[in-house]
Amino acid sequence: MTITMVGDLKHGRTVHSLAKLLTQYRITLRYVAPKNLHMPAEIISFVASKGIKQEEFDSIEEALPETDILYMTRIQKERFGSEDEYKACFGQFILTPHIMTVAKKKMVVMHPLPRVNEISPEVDTDPRAAYFRQAENGMYIRMALLATVLGR
């Protein structure tokens, strides 16, 4: 299975923990990020130490044809020191219906939400878009965990 992570890979807690978790499986990880927002070296080293193949790409289109799961993330404005730095990265990688035409028919698109503009709203109706189901299922998991912790 090939999982491609796109967006702010430097600051994203979700991609860091997901990359570490996925080392428990036989997968390939692909990364697509703006120049200054690549996956941190310590995460890459950890993943490599577990024998997981990793690849970096300059565009979603390049990485997409072999991708089974596409994990999109937003560019986190609050992590930048200036508006100019943010604007230099914002909007570089946007998933559109046109780009989805090169994806596998059974690929899954995930996103931790909230999104800004990294996934075009037109993708929402694509059956491969799983991010709203992902958010709903996460809510039920949190409800179950809280009920367990509170003894209900």
Side-chain angles (χ1 to χ4, degrees), residues 2-97:
T2 298
I3 301 165
T4 300
M5 299 179 177
V6 180
D8 185 349
L9 306 183
K10 179 179 180 180
H11 301 112
R13 293 186 324 258
T14 59
V15 291
H16 297 171
S17 58
L18 183 58
K20 288 178 179 178
L21 174 71
L22 290 171
T23 63
Q24 301 299 307
Y25 304 95
R26 287 192 337 234
I27 58 148
T28 296
L29 278 177
R30 291 179 164 192
Y31 308 124
V32 181
K35 185 176 60 171
N36 298 329
L37 300 176
H38 288 276
M39 187 67 82
E42 62 269 15
I43 303 294
I44 289 174
S45 294
F46 177 84
V47 170
S49 76
K50 303 296 183 178
I52 301 298
K53 181 180 176 184
Q54 300 173 87
E55 304 169 324
E56 290 191 19
F57 290 85
D58 295 323
S59 71
I60 298 173
E61 296 90 337
E62 243 187 303
L64 208 54
E66 300 304 317
T67 295
D68 297 296
I69 299 173
L70 181 64
Y71 193 84
M72 300 290 295
T73 64
R74 70 183 174 92
I75 302 298
Q76 301 180 49
K77 186 176 186 176
E78 63 274 17
R79 304 288 188 166
F80 288 87
S82 74
E83 186 77 18
D84 289 339
E85 287 178 67
Y86 172 68
K87 286 180 179 177
C89 296
F90 184 75
Q92 284 187 27
F93 303 110
I94 299 173
L95 185 63
T96 65

Side-chain angles (χ1 to χ4, degrees), residues 126-150:
D126 188 304
R128 297 170 287 185
Y131 35 89
F132 295 131
R133 294 189 312 271
Q134 174 189 354
E136 182 179 8
N137 291 336
M139 177 187 68
Y140 296 132
I141 293 294
R142 288 189 296 279
M143 288 169 64
L145 288 170
L146 284 170
T148 301
V149 169
L150 297 173

